[in-house]
Amino acid sequence: MNSSPTTYIYPFAAHESERELCLMEQRALFGHDAEGTAYLESPLRLAPNRSPYVQLRLDVLFAASSLAELGEIAATLELDGRTFKVRYLKSGQRLTYEGERGVERQIGARIRGIAEMRNPDITLGLLAREKDWVLGICHHAEPVWLAHKAKPHNYSTGLTTVVARALVNIALPRPEGKRGIDPCCGMGNVLIEALSMGVDIVGRDINPLAIRGARSNLRHFGFQENRVQIGDLNELEGAYDAAIVDLPYNLCSVLSVSERQRMLESVRRIAPRAVIVSTEPLEQEIADAGLSITDHCTVSKGNFVRLVWEVQREM
C-alpha cells in the first residue's frame, strides 16, 4: 500500500444485556466509548481479537467527503500484485443490500488490481460515516474465546468467556510489564482469557476442588497449571498491579458483611486497582474499604444480574 494509517476504526457488537460492559471496556481500552454508533475510532492500534465485542480493526487509508472522491483516491492504490475485494461495513450508515453491493462495485472498479471475492490477499473495508466515506484495510478478529467455552470443568454460574475477557481488559488495559491476580479464581475463566492475551496473571482460591478444576482447565488449553495455587485472599502476600475479584455468591458461599469488608480491604492491600464483581450493591462497602469507584456497569443473564465496579486505591 502507498499510504500508512494513522487512525483505526473498530466496529463492534454486543448483546443488550452486555452493552454497558462493552462500553465500560471501551472506556478502559481507548479512554472513551462509542455510545451512539456501532464503531469506535482511535489512534490506538490494538489486536482485533483483544476485545470480545470488536469484529475487526479497520486501518484507515483514505477518507473523502463523497463516494466519487473516494473512488478517485482509491485509484492511486498500489497493491503490489495482491488480490483484493471491497467489503461494505454495516457498522456505518445503513444501506439496502443492493446499495451495499453497488458501492462495493463502484470503489472496486477504480482499484488497479485483481479482484478475488472468495479468498483475497487483502480485504478493503468501506465505511460510510455521518459526513464522509472511509476506505481501509480489514483485520478480522479471531474469536479465540469461543473455543474456551468448552472447558473440562465449569460452574453453572461462572463468568462467561466474553465477560471474563472484558473484565481483564478493564483491569489491565495496558498489560505490558504488569502483573495481575484473580484471588477468587474458581475454575479459571478469567485466567484463561488473560493468558490467551499474553497477560501475566496468577490465580488463587480457597476451595481445593476449584483449584483442581482450574488446573485441569489451564492444562486443557496449554497453559501452565502452576499459575493457580490454593490460597485465601485475606492471607495473600505480595503486590500486584491489578486484581479481578468475582466475589462468591452461590448458596454454598454466602458472605456476611464483615467477610466482604475484609475481602475488599485485602483487595486494597494487594493491588492499587481492581475490578470487583458481585450480585449485591457494594458501593458503601467499597468506600469503607478505602477504594474509590472510577467506573461501573451491570451485566445480566436472564434474571441473574452482576454488578461490576472498576476501583482504585485511595491515597
Side-chain angles (χ1 to χ4, degrees), residues 13 18 49-55 141-152 154 159-165 189 192-193 196-197 220-221:
E18 296 176 8
N49 67 346
R50 175 74 181 273
S51 166
Y53 302 113
V54 167
Q55 299 167 319
E142 296 180 6
V144 296
W145 54 89
L146 294 181
H148 299 158
K149 294 170 66 175
K151 297 179 181 67
N154 217 335
L159 297 170
T160 67
T161 58
V162 168
V163 171
R165 196 174 187 89
N189 294 13
I192 290 168
E193 295 312 311
S196 73
M197 291 187 282
H220 179 77
F221 293 111

Side-chain angles (χ1 to χ4, degrees), residues 1 14 51 59 79 89 91 96 98 109 117 123 125 142 177 211 230 241 302 315:
M1 294 295 181
S51 166
D59 297 6
L79 297 181
L89 303 181
S91 301
T96 64
E98 293 77 12
M117 295 298 102
T123 297
E142 296 180 6
I211 292 297
I230 193 165
D241 295 290
M315 304 305 292

Side-chain angles (χ1 to χ4, degrees), residues 44 91 189 246 252 270 277:
L44 296 177
S91 301
N189 294 13
D246 185 18
C252 298
I270 64 173
V277 183

Side-chain angles (χ1 to χ4, degrees), residues 20-42:
E20 289 185 23
L21 181 65
C22 171
L23 296 177
M24 184 174 172
E25 182 199 52
Q26 290 178 357
R27 292 191 289 272
L29 287 173
F30 299 102
H32 67 281
D33 63 43
E35 185 64 83
T37 66
Y39 61 89
L40 183 143
E41 298 185 49
S42 175

Side-chain angles (χ1 to χ4, degrees), residues 164 167-168 171-172 181-184 190 201 242-246 274-277:
L167 295 179
V168 174
L172 288 161
I181 184 170
D182 180 351
C184 304
V190 165
I201 193 170
I244 303 167
V245 189
D246 185 18
V275 173
I276 297 170
V277 183

Side-chain angles (χ1 to χ4, degrees), residues 179-181 202 204 236-243 270-273 313:
R179 192 170 186 235
I181 184 170
V202 295
R204 301 290 183 266
L236 292 181
E237 297 180 354
Y240 301 87
D241 295 290
I270 64 173
R273 96 185 244 111
R313 181 191 295 159

